[in-house]
Amino acid sequence: MTAFHDLRSSRPLQIWPGLIARPLHGQEATLAQIELEPDVVVPEHAHANEQTGILLAGSLRFTIGGEERNLEPGDGWIVPAHVPHSVQAGGDGAMLVELFAPPRHDWAAHE
């Protein structure tokens, strides 16, 4: 077993239509590279995982607990556990990295 992983060669998981994730699952958290297709909408939802992220490319319109923002590369967010949130990718799509704690064990259904 190795501590190193190559996300470029990992099989992407379709979490929502138009949203794929390449996760690294650790004991205490999941780190994921996420790609959203242009104009994809992830409907409002909530989960037990705190979700921290940073936008690397593209744009997002993110709503967290009723607060809405347009995000550009370099912008970040924190979604506390159980807080409703939704997102829409801009016309060029988006690439981001998110950390989920505790790990996203529910993603195993997508693998």
Side-chain angles (χ1 to χ4, degrees), residues 40-55:
V40 160
V41 174
V42 176
E44 186 175 77
H45 64 286
H47 40 72
N49 319 80
E50 181 177 69
Q51 177 177 343
T52 304
I54 186 167
L55 181 61

Side-chain angles (χ1 to χ4, degrees), residues 43-100:
E44 186 175 77
H45 64 286
H47 40 72
N49 319 80
E50 181 177 69
Q51 177 177 343
T52 304
I54 186 167
L55 181 61
L56 301 176
S59 62
L60 297 173
R61 183 156 189 82
F62 216 136
T63 303
I64 302 169
E67 182 182 359
E68 191 171 67
R69 285 275 167 93
N70 290 317
L71 303 179
E72 299 176 351
D75 289 336
W77 55 89
I78 299 172
V79 181
H82 306 289
V83 170
H85 55 286
S86 62
V87 68
Q88 179 173 358
D92 292 330
M95 166 103 44
L96 49 123
V97 172
E98 289 189 303
L99 179 71
F100 298 89

